[in-house]
């Protein structure tokens, strides 16, 4: 989950802010409207006001970023979900999304179309990115919240011919229904509130993910945890049981156990371009490290996958303020 705070809408009293992580750019709120001078009517700005809408799983808010003409932050119950720039789908604001973007860039030669399955949709940031960087890709998005999907379709429309299909479906059910060996890249970025659902944490889920991948296909997942990484280690153990090549991308402060945060997991049946991925993620505004090989095996240690679907648990509850938007 990203960590993206926002200010109060223009014209309202300031509200107390939740604790703000250190590495987040705060979008400035829209300024109040100015008097319109005589002459031709200017471009309408009515669609640049904050929007609050009840959806199936909570309350969604769309907040405009005045620094980018058609960029929006989507939150669900004040937990940031997506940042979308309609003019520039190649702009990835959240650091963990940027790391997944690096992986997508390296999954195949530049520009080659891919078949992608996205578990979790939100504002469709990554599908938009793949459509921009890999034109002609076929993408299926499983989003469980029908009202949220309708809001995004209405307020953040996809460009014509994007190749992106959005279906209202539970992530695990969509994965089980996907054809075998039909996906080049599978991306799991699914959160119920601020936690990964239990059904996506088991060895059975890992096996289902491996089943849909083509030979050489990649599994990418956004996870969140803190030291001693009981949840993260179990996820790594589950994927290692079905896909032999793994690496983990996270900020050094997270890996050292100093704070709760995101970690991006990559897995495949073929060697991953670890060196190039490490070069790109280290050059980001908030650099990350790539953990692999012996270091990753030490991190997994004696962790075991969750094999019993009935006893599976969601990811840990984040500490107060970790992923909040004020």
């Amino acid at each position: 989950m990203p960590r993206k705070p926002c200010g109060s809408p223009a014209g309202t009293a300031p509200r107390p802010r939740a604790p703000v992580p250190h590495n987040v750019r705060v979008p400035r709120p829209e300024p109040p409207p100015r008097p319109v001078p005589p002459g031709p009517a200017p471009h309408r700005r009515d669609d640049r006001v904050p929007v609050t809408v009840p959806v199936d799983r909570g309350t969604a808010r769309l907040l405009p970023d005045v620094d980018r003409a058609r960029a929006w932050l989507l939150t669900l119950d004040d937990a940031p979900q997506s940042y979308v720039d309609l003019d520039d789908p190649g702009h990835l604001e959240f650091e963990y999304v940027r790391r997944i973007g690096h992986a997508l860039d390296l999954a195949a030669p530049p520009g080659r179309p891919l078949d992608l399955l996205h578990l979790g949709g939100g504002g469709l940031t990554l599908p938009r990115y793949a459509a921009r960087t890999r034109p002609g890709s076929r993408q299926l998005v499983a989003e469980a919240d029908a009202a949220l999907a309708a809001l995004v379709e209405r307020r953040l429309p996809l460009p014509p011919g994007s190749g992106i299909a959005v279906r209202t479906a539970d992530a695990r059910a969509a994965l089980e229904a996907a054809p075998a060996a039909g996906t080049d890249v599978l991306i799991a970025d699914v959160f119920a509130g601020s936690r990964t659902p239990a059904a996506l944490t088991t060895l059975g889920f890992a096996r289902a993910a491996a089943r849909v991948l083509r030979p050489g296909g990649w599994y990418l997942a956004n996870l969140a945890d803190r030291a001693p990484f009981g949840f993260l280690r179990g996820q790594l153990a589950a994927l290692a049981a079905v896909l032999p090549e793994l690496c983990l991308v996270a900020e050094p402060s997270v890996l050292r156990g100093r704070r709760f945060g995101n970690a991006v997991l990559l897995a495949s049946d073929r060697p991953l371009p670890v060196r190039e991925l490490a070069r790109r993620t280290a050059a980001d505004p908030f650099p990350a490290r790539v953990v692999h090989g012996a270091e990753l095996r030490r991190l997994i240690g004696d962790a075991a996958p969750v094999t019993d679907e009935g006893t599976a648990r969601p990811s840990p509850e984040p500490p107060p303020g970790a992923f909040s938007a004020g």
Side-chain angles (χ1 to χ4, degrees), residues 56-310:
D56 296 339
R57 301 194 172 191
T59 299
R61 299 174 71 202
L62 281 171
L63 299 128
D65 186 347
V66 72
D67 293 324
R68 302 181 73 90
R70 298 181 68 217
W72 296 84
L73 173 69
L74 170 66
T75 72
L76 186 61
D77 291 338
D78 288 330
Q81 297 292 317
S82 304
Y83 181 99
V84 176
D85 189 332
L86 296 174
D87 286 336
D88 183 10
H91 175 73
L92 303 179
E93 178 77 11
F94 296 157
E95 58 266 29
Y96 90 85
V97 178
R98 193 176 301 115
R99 291 162 197 154
I100 296 177
H102 289 318
L104 282 174
D105 292 343
L106 294 171
R112 175 184 292 179
L114 296 174
D115 290 333
L116 295 99
L117 174 58
H118 302 262
L119 304 182
L124 308 177
T125 303
L126 285 165
R128 296 172 200 267
Y129 179 81
R132 168 64 65 89
T133 58
R134 297 186 177 279
S137 293
R138 296 181 297 183
Q139 304 190 68
L140 176 62
V141 181
E143 170 55 59
D145 192 319
L148 178 62
L151 172 66
V152 170
E153 181 181 14
R154 184 171 67 251
R155 300 299 302 238
L156 306 175
L158 292 166
S162 67
I164 301 168
V166 182
R167 294 181 184 171
T168 302
D170 171 80
R172 180 70 181 265
L175 180 63
E176 299 285 359
T183 299
D184 294 309
V185 178
L186 168 62
I187 301 176
D189 188 8
V190 184
F191 285 80
S194 297
R195 306 175 73 183
T196 302
L200 277 62
T201 67
T202 65
L203 180 60
F205 174 81
R207 287 173 174 157
R211 180 189 66 85
V212 305
L213 291 176
R214 290 185 174 128
W218 288 17
Y219 172 76
L220 310 176
N222 174 36
L223 306 170
D225 201 2
R226 59 185 158 193
F229 303 119
F231 171 74
L232 182 60
R233 293 170 61 236
Q235 296 304 289
L236 290 166
L239 267 297
V242 296
L243 294 170
E245 301 292 333
L246 282 79
C247 69
L248 188 72
V249 187
E251 290 183 29
S253 59
V254 174
L255 293 171
R256 291 171 186 155
R258 294 178 180 172
R259 64 177 182 84
F260 189 99
N262 298 88
V264 173
L265 168 63
L266 288 75
S268 179
D269 63 351
R270 307 276 173 85
L272 297 164
V274 171
R275 181 172 298 180
E276 179 59 20
L277 181 63
R279 187 188 69 79
R280 297 189 185 200
T281 57
D284 279 339
F286 299 104
R289 285 188 56 227
V290 177
V291 181
H292 65 102
E295 185 180 7
L296 188 66
R297 289 191 291 273
R298 286 194 297 271
L299 176 61
I300 297 173
D302 60 357
V306 176
T307 57
D308 184 350
E309 300 281 342

Side-chain angles (χ1 to χ4, degrees), residues 6-31:
C6 293
S8 300
T12 65
R15 67 184 66 188
R17 291 181 179 271
V20 176
H22 71 284
N23 59 350
V24 174
R25 184 181 69 83
V26 181
R28 294 186 289 119
E30 283 284 310

